[in-house]
Amino acid sequence: MSLATKAFAGFDIDDRHVRVVVTDAAVITDAAAAARTALDTWLDIVSLTRADSELQRLNRSFGRTVRVSPALADQVRHALAAADLTAGAVDPLRSSGTDTHEAIEIDGLGMRLPGWATVDLDATALAVVVERIAATIARRFACGALVSVSGANSTDTDIAVAGPEPVRGWQISVIDGSAERLVPIASGTTMVTTTGTTTATVAASSPVVAAALSRAAAAGADALVDRAADHASAAVFIAA
């Protein structure tokens, strides 16, 4: 993307690389600090690599009903929505048996996982978090904001844009067929790129839709993605 009218900063956290781009150079230091603080807080809730995260405590509940925070309950509901959208192709439940996401019980803030099953929110949580951080930066600093998160241990790159657009708009490089090209994305859009059987990029106004369809497309579920993308008005780019 052209940075002629933008300022950017980057940092690493938990083996993830974060990039913050804003349309007002005067606020970039504070915007990057705000992004780091917000992401660190969210990782304390949804991370699978932090042994003391709230998600890991849920995963050690072993069939008992436990009370979770509103933030974690919200993220689990997003993951269940992604599973429903993809007919179970993107399922957050990890079980040695035949249980699926439908076996997760939620009643308000009470949650129960079946037996020894655990939950993995990697497919959707980061997209939701990135979208919220970009929106918060745009609102707090009255500027356009792009936030991207990628990591060596992740198959996904999550990008969200919010607030006033720069002079030439936001343009992101994607692989479409056999060619790499720049595509414009509007403010309020989340874009997720997943590498699996193939590389798929999905842009949508809903971070859950973008994340779910990107995972499904990268796994080769083309027919499912085509149907869901038509319904959700998402833009889908798949590498040849």
Side-chain angles (χ1 to χ4, degrees), residues 56-107:
Q56 289 290 51
R57 294 196 296 273
L58 172 65
N59 284 339
R60 294 192 292 267
S61 59
F62 307 127
R64 293 178 287 109
T65 298
V66 296
R67 183 177 177 84
V68 300
S69 69
L72 182 57
D74 185 48
Q75 288 285 10
V76 172
R77 288 188 173 94
H78 286 315
L80 296 179
D84 288 339
L85 176 65
T86 60
V90 180
D91 193 324
L93 192 70
R94 300 292 176 262
S95 172
S96 59
T98 59
D99 288 317
T100 69
H101 68 285
E102 295 177 342
I104 299 174
E105 298 177 9
I106 303 180
D107 182 8

Side-chain angles (χ1 to χ4, degrees), residues 85-134:
L85 176 65
T86 60
V90 180
D91 193 324
L93 192 70
R94 300 292 176 262
S95 172
S96 59
T98 59
D99 288 317
T100 69
H101 68 285
E102 295 177 342
I104 299 174
E105 298 177 9
I106 303 180
D107 182 8
L109 298 180
M111 191 173 303
R112 190 185 78 83
L113 307 181
W116 297 89
T118 60
V119 167
D120 180 345
L121 300 178
D122 279 358
T124 53
L126 199 55
V128 173
V129 169
V130 167
E131 187 270 340
R132 292 181 180 178
I133 292 175

Side-chain angles (χ1 to χ4, degrees), residues 20-48:
V20 179
V21 185
V22 294
T23 57
D24 181 356
V27 305
I28 184 59
T29 300
D30 290 340
R36 179 189 287 273
T37 299
L39 185 56
D40 186 53
T41 298
W42 276 107
L43 289 173
D44 276 342
I45 298 170
V46 302
S47 175
L48 279 177

Side-chain angles (χ1 to χ4, degrees), residues 123 155-157 192-196 198-202 210-211 213-219:
T155 60
D156 296 343
T157 297
V192 180
T193 298
T194 302
T195 300
T198 186
T199 297
T201 300
V202 178
L213 297 189
S214 177
R215 283 286 180 110

Side-chain angles (χ1 to χ4, degrees), residues 216-235:
D222 295 342
L224 173 63
V225 170
D226 287 344
R227 186 175 76 245
D230 288 342
H231 174 72
S233 298

